[in-house]
Amino acid sequence: LEAFDRVDPAPRPSPRPPIPARPHALSVTEIKRLIRDPYAIYAKHTLRLRPIDPLVQSPDAPLRGIVVHKILELFIKSVAQDASLLTREHLSHITETVLQSEVPWPAARLMWQARVERIADWFIAQEYKRQSFAKPMLFEEAAKGIHKFDDLGFTLRGYADRIDQTDFGDVLIYDYKTGAPPSAKEQRFFDKQLLLEAAMIEAGGFANVGPATVANAVFIGLGSTPKEVAAPLDEEPPAAVLAGLHELIATYLSAQQGFTARRLVQKD
């Protein structure tokens, strides 16, 4: 009963499509996937495979992220108009209003309201600090940028959740994470989102900002243990980040390079 014939594992997929079929435009959030799992980029952009939406929508993590981003954007915009609204009560009111309009599941509304309530005091306290040295300037729809590598025929696109500006003209980038934000080490190895956005701003890629010095870039983690994690801008200066991206994209626009599955997993 225990006898078996050993079957050798299949080789890891690493397709090499022709150059015109390779992606010539990616978002900043897709660069992490290109580094960690190139095959996923191949599947999405070369094969053009897309997940089918479920027949019945559920209150899943992506929807929670969208809703929380909307809550915070409305809250910060209202505070920018009236500083006295930087209170727990106003945040709770906006949360309830957005949940009523966007989340049709009563149980999910209660759980997500409670989740925001748990982090409200921490978020308000941190927001007082943030607005003591800079003021909100742009939010997601307006905070968009592009950077082109003309020699490669490649375009990088990106959106920042929020961009603040100091009185001296420096800018700060913030990105909200409903889960745990990536550590500085993760950002150095593969999660380059904030580093790339900072490099794009300093290169003038955000038209509504113009070339500006990025004083800081921070992930705001809104999970069960809220925390802020800054991008390692000192260790990864903008010029080095763009040079590294250029090398990465040039490699994947080479006919010899395959899109290997699961190339750089975080854990074994």
Side-chain angles (χ1 to χ4, degrees), residues 23-75:
H24 287 74
L26 292 172
S27 68
V28 292
T29 55
E30 288 179 311
I31 299 303
K32 176 176 72 172
R33 186 171 297 168
L34 180 62
I35 294 171
R36 295 191 59 192
D37 190 8
Y39 186 89
I41 296 295
Y42 163 79
K44 179 179 179 180
H45 291 277
T46 299
L47 300 183
R48 298 185 180 182
L49 300 179
R50 297 290 189 276
I52 297 176
D53 290 334
L55 292 176
V56 179
Q57 177 67 50
S58 62
D60 53 15
L63 177 61
R64 184 175 70 239
I66 292 170
V67 169
V68 170
H69 277 70
K70 183 173 183 179
I71 290 169
L72 295 180
E73 181 174 336
L74 291 174
F75 176 67

Side-chain angles (χ1 to χ4, degrees), residues 150-256:
D150 293 329
D151 58 324
L152 300 177
F154 179 85
T155 301
L156 178 70
R157 298 188 176 92
Y159 289 85
D161 285 347
R162 170 181 165 187
I163 297 176
D164 289 12
Q165 188 170 41
T166 70
D167 293 337
F168 303 103
D170 295 346
V171 300
L172 302 98
I173 309 170
Y174 295 109
D175 188 87
Y176 302 118
K177 292 291 185 187
T178 52
S183 66
K185 184 176 180 181
E186 290 175 274
Q187 294 182 64
R188 286 197 301 271
F189 278 98
F190 47 75
D191 200 329
K192 304 286 187 178
Q193 178 184 347
L194 287 185
L195 292 169
L196 287 170
E197 289 173 3
M200 291 168 69
I201 287 177
E202 297 211 352
F206 280 69
N208 291 334
V209 179
T213 299
V214 177
N216 204 1
V218 180
F219 283 108
I220 301 176
L222 304 170
S224 55
T225 305
K227 62 179 179 180
E228 295 183 354
V229 179
L233 296 177
D234 292 340
E235 301 175 40
E236 300 273 346
V241 171
L242 290 180
L245 178 63
H246 185 279
E247 182 179 357
L248 178 73
I249 297 303
T251 299
Y252 280 99
L253 289 179
S254 167
Q256 289 74 36

Side-chain angles (χ1 to χ4, degrees), residues 95 99 109-119:
T95 301
L99 290 177
R109 285 201 298 268
L110 289 173
M111 288 189 292
W112 294 0
Q113 179 88 34
R115 188 167 184 155
V116 174
E117 296 285 349
R118 282 198 299 271
I119 66 167

